[in-house]
Amino acid sequence: MKNYEYGLTMNKRKFGMRVLNISQSRFGTYSHKNLNAYDLIGKDTGQDEFIATYPYEIIGVHRFNYVTGKGFANTVHFYDSENNITVAMTHKTELPTSTYYVGKRFSIGEVMYREGATGRATGNHIHIEIAKGKQSKKIYKDGIWKLSNLINIEDYFFINESIIVKDTKGIKFEFREEGGEDMNDVIHIVRVPRDPEYDYLISIDGNKFGTPYDSTIMKGFSDKNLVKEGWEEVIATNGSIFYYYDKSCYAEGLEKSRGVNNQPFDMHAVSKFKDTMALGCKWNGDLDIDYQRNIQANINNYYGAITGAFGLLKNGYKNTAGAELENIRNGLYSGLSGRTVWGYDSKTDTYMVISHPGVTGKSGIRGDALVELCKKEGMTDAICLDGGGSRWLRFEGKELATTTRKVKNAVILYRRKKKGTILDEPINKPVEETKPQDASPKEEIKELLAKLIELVEKL
């Protein structure tokens, strides 16, 4: 049985040009009228290369002769078999047409294409269209030639939204890799179905009220009591957003750690945010995502509890309780930011975590989009814990997203084999033959002599 899965949202690919300008966006007023396509320009007026960042196969090549333009132009259809996506690029290429033949495969790092100019183009660029399905040619529709089932370029390639600068050529983006060496730029999705042969427990690791600012970084967080009892860590993330009071740092709301309430119920943070969502971890491993006031009223039922930045889903429906509380929460919900989401899929009894990269106010994902992402990934209940500044994720001991920032608290999922559970036994284990317990050597000798006598008489 598979105990977990983790991967990337939408399997987005690194874009093959490091820096580029968009000289003509989709549905433009010129050749892109009624067309979901981009004209992309590199870092200068030369012919920048488009590098394969994922294996592609050529499934179609067309050559057009622009009578009133600047000669021939090529359209090459590249295919991503994993996602069933066709990427078509067009221009007057510097590379010989013979380079492009159907069936050719490009490995990561190979030059797939180069900029060029043809038709009414005033400079080198790449015209790019992306569509669902395996397509080897364009169709004529709405007065233009285009691929069928076109999708947005940013739905397939990863764009770092933190760099959006308007200039004389249009909008400048820096396209960055998702899933490369810098894992902090990756959208991680972790799923842990509850295995009936294990017990589960979620712990909150935090400091008690009145203690100084927590100097712990991500490597220091652990529920040592559970570890001593034989529990193993599965998922660990940063916890709730926090606030300063009297030069100390506290969780913004409930914080029950290892069965002990860390903060008085009448203090500002706890009393102020009763109408936002909190995460409660029951002693049997059940995960409740509910209004803080409801979890607080039954606080003894929980091994750990923590209040989030705002809610996302409750029983399969959108519930953003807390987004309207104080300016910081409203700003976090409506603005771009990195996110740490804890959730649950009640249909499959699965713990889920989404760790989304981003810089608060500059890049990441907004609250409404985060709700849709949680729905898409199958969550029925979900809560956003923070605003991205202290985002980190550890999965089965491996650091997937890291931070050097001091962190107030952590949420950690543990599991332990149930007592009496036998795991990893062969399905068809050989059965050892045994003799009756009451058999004696004398009786065996008598049976043997009787058989010998019978044999002699036959002879």
Side-chain angles (χ1 to χ4, degrees):
M1 179 179 179
K2 207 172 186 183
N3 292 319
Y4 63 83
E5 297 176 0
Y6 74 96
L8 306 181
T9 301
M10 299 169 66
N11 292 323
K12 292 184 183 179
R13 305 301 177 200
K14 175 185 177 182
F15 195 81
M17 300 169 71
R18 291 301 299 173
V19 178
L20 57 89
N21 290 292
I22 299 175
S23 60
Q24 187 178 182
S25 61
R26 56 177 180 260
F27 307 114
T29 57
Y30 299 101
S31 59
H32 288 185
K33 187 176 181 180
N34 300 321
L35 182 59
N36 190 355
Y38 281 102
D39 283 346
L40 306 176
I41 300 174
K43 62 183 178 181
D44 52 35
T45 59
Q47 291 187 302
D48 287 18
E49 298 175 337
F50 191 98
I51 307 298
T53 56
Y54 187 76
Y56 290 89
E57 175 189 1
I58 294 180
I59 57 174
V61 180
H62 286 125
R63 195 180 190 196
F64 299 95
N65 183 10
Y66 290 89
V67 177
T68 59
K70 301 179 181 180
F72 291 98
N74 294 316
T75 297
V76 182
H77 302 78
F78 301 96
Y79 184 61
D80 172 0
S81 58
E82 179 176 307
N83 288 298
N84 193 26
I85 295 290
T86 297
V87 179
M89 288 186 279
T90 305
H91 62 63
K92 180 184 178 183
T93 178
E94 182 185 63
L95 298 178
T97 305
S98 59
T99 300
Y100 302 115
Y101 58 88
V102 175
K104 177 177 175 59
R105 295 180 181 274
F106 291 93
S107 301
I108 295 176
E110 288 191 81
V111 176
M112 291 173 59
Y113 220 61
R114 287 193 178 96
E115 292 178 292
T118 191
R120 294 179 294 173
T122 58
N124 292 326
H125 71 287
I126 292 178
H127 171 101
I128 187 167
E129 300 174 29
I130 303 177
K132 293 182 179 180
K134 191 173 185 178
Q135 303 178 44
S136 59
K137 61 182 180 180
K138 293 187 177 184
I139 60 172
Y140 190 75
K141 188 177 181 181
D142 301 324
I144 53 175
W145 288 92
K146 62 182 179 180
L147 296 176
S148 59
N149 301 318
L150 286 170
I151 62 175
N152 297 333
I153 185 174
E154 58 267 32
D155 289 341
Y156 179 73
F157 287 116
F158 181 75
I159 302 175
N160 178 15
E161 293 181 319
S162 65
I163 303 177
I164 303 178
V165 181
K166 289 186 177 181
D167 57 24
T168 56
K169 295 181 180 179
I171 300 176
K172 183 177 181 180
F173 289 86
E174 180 182 350
F175 285 69
R176 296 177 61 188
E177 182 174 2
E178 181 179 16
E181 294 181 0
D182 187 359
M183 297 300 285
N184 285 337
D185 286 335
V186 174
I187 304 172
H188 293 282
I189 301 173
V190 181
R191 295 177 175 86
V192 180
R194 290 178 69 168
D195 190 326
E197 294 175 327
Y198 283 86
D199 289 320
Y200 292 85
L201 194 59
I202 296 179
S203 178
I204 308 298
D205 188 5
N207 286 346
K208 287 186 177 182
F209 175 78
T211 54
Y213 184 98
D214 193 345
S215 60
T216 307
I217 59 175
M218 59 177 292
K219 292 183 179 180
F221 284 110
S222 176
D223 190 330
K224 297 178 177 58
N225 294 332
L226 291 184
V227 174
K228 288 180 181 178
E229 295 173 5
W231 294 81
E232 59 178 343
E233 179 188 293
V234 184
I235 305 174
T237 73
N238 53 299
S240 174
I241 57 176
F242 45 79
Y243 81 107
Y244 288 95
Y245 177 74
D246 193 24
K247 298 181 181 180
S248 294
C249 182
Y250 307 105
E252 194 167 32
L254 289 173
E255 186 184 64
K256 185 175 182 180
S257 175
R258 297 180 291 276
V260 178
N261 293 335
N262 282 3
Q263 304 191 129
F265 289 163
D266 59 352
M267 70 181 294
H268 169 272
V270 182
S271 61
K272 185 94 173 171
F273 300 115
K274 289 184 178 181
D275 290 328
T276 189
M277 282 289 183
L279 180 150
C281 320
K282 289 187 175 180
W283 296 82
N284 65 353
D286 287 348
L287 182 64
D288 284 349
I289 295 176
D290 202 348
Y291 294 101
Q292 178 189 293
R293 61 176 180 267
N294 294 338
I295 289 180
Q296 181 178 324
N298 299 283
I299 195 66
N300 291 332
N301 294 336
Y302 300 100
Y303 182 79
I306 193 167
T307 303
F310 46 81
L312 294 167
L313 295 172
K314 178 66 177 170
N315 298 325
Y317 295 95
K318 178 180 178 180
N319 190 319
T320 56
E324 73 286 353
L325 293 175
E326 304 223 333
N327 293 334
I328 185 173
R329 289 167 177 266
N330 189 36
L332 284 175
Y333 181 80
S334 60
L336 289 169
S337 184
R339 312 288 185 179
T340 297
V341 174
W342 274 82
Y344 197 73
D345 179 2
S346 60
K347 298 177 182 178
T348 60
D349 201 17
T350 299
Y351 300 107
M352 296 182 64
V353 169
I354 295 177
S355 183
H356 196 295
V359 178
T360 302
K362 296 182 179 181
S363 64
I365 186 170
R366 292 181 172 88
D368 285 336
L370 192 59
V371 171
E372 296 306 313
L373 175 58
C374 291
K375 286 183 179 180
K376 176 181 177 294
E377 296 301 329
M379 292 184 177
T380 55
D381 299 85
I383 183 174
C384 179
L385 292 179
D386 75 328
S390 56
R391 165 186 170 264
W392 60 271
L393 170 65
R394 189 167 62 227
F395 180 53
E396 292 198 332
K398 181 180 180 181
E399 296 178 0
L400 300 183
T402 61
T403 182
T404 57
R405 182 176 177 177
K406 296 176 181 179
V407 180
K408 176 65 183 71
N409 45 33
V411 182
I412 309 174
L413 173 65
Y414 290 91
R415 73 174 188 176
R416 181 177 66 178
K417 290 181 183 178
K418 291 181 178 179
K419 293 182 179 180
T421 301
I422 301 176
L423 300 177
D424 302 323
E425 287 288 336
I427 297 176
N428 299 315
K429 183 179 180 179
V431 179
E432 183 179 353
E433 294 184 1
T434 59
K435 295 180 181 180
Q437 295 296 320
D438 56 352
S440 64
K442 291 182 179 180
E443 291 175 344
E444 291 179 1
I445 293 173
K446 287 180 181 180
E447 291 177 0
L448 182 59
L449 288 174
K451 289 181 180 179
L452 288 173
I453 295 172
E454 181 180 356
L455 180 61
V456 171
E457 289 178 349
K458 288 182 179 181
L459 294 173

